[in-house]
Amino acid sequence: MKLAVQVYSVRDHINDSETLLKALEEIKKIGYDGVEFAGYFNTDAATIKAKLDEVGLVCVGSHMGLDDFKEDKLAETIEFANTLGTKAIGVGGAPHSTMEEAVNTGDVLGAAEKYAMDKYGIKVYYHNHCEEFVALENGLLPIDVIGDRCSLEIDTYWSFHAGEDNYKLLTEKKDNIVLLHVKDGIDGKPMALGEGNNDLATVVKAAKDIGMEWLIVENDDPVPTGFEDITRSIKYLKSII
């Protein structure tokens, strides 16, 4: 398995296009092979791709807003992703607290995925937090309603914090999972890998068993800085793979 990082984890080091590109250099130096974006800081796709190629990183995904996958912006979103060379792109979250919201979110992403797959073979995914494992008014889970309509990126700390058995979750949904977030934390507060109580060894075992190519490190609240945090995380993750 190869290791990537969600660039949101180092957002304290990025405030414009120049610092975004510099961050990619540092991410590679730390030891990662891939990145998942969460915003492009007004940088065009060709410039980002050139920097990725220069430093030896792969774009494995990107978080956009749900509106970016609606009809009026969809072509632009997918063209950008294709230029980056990624085979997956999605949202970091979207409305899902009612059945109507969950269906709408899934339908938007599902239609976008059909378009992206037909054009470039790009999958479109939904990334979970905790609330997607809370039953809707009809007893169905938002993660299932949305996942019936598009691909999924499972954040394994938020699923753990929601009380899910990660091995069961990942193996049961293996055919619909395109990416995984490997994250740690305690009582809903994200932490560097190995510093929380998530069963990361089980997550790694499940990832291996379902044939995941990439593991994506993410920390919503890095300490003391993003680069220092993801350095500790990759060291720990390499020790258990």
Side-chain angles (χ1 to χ4, degrees), residues 96-100 102 134-142 145:
H96 59 270
S97 60
T98 66
M99 186 66 182
E100 182 180 7
V134 177
L136 298 166
E137 59 271 18
N138 57 3
L140 296 176
L141 298 180
V145 174

Side-chain angles (χ1 to χ4, degrees), residues 5-21:
V5 66
Q6 166 52 260
V7 179
Y8 184 72
S9 305
V10 296
R11 65 193 180 277
D12 55 327
H13 301 280
I14 304 170
N15 52 44
D16 56 20
S17 179
E18 181 181 359
T19 49
L20 171 65
L21 299 179

Side-chain angles (χ1 to χ4, degrees), residues 64-75:
M64 306 286 287
L66 188 64
D67 285 346
D68 293 304
F69 294 94
K70 293 180 180 178
E71 189 172 354
D72 59 333
K73 293 184 179 179
L74 178 58

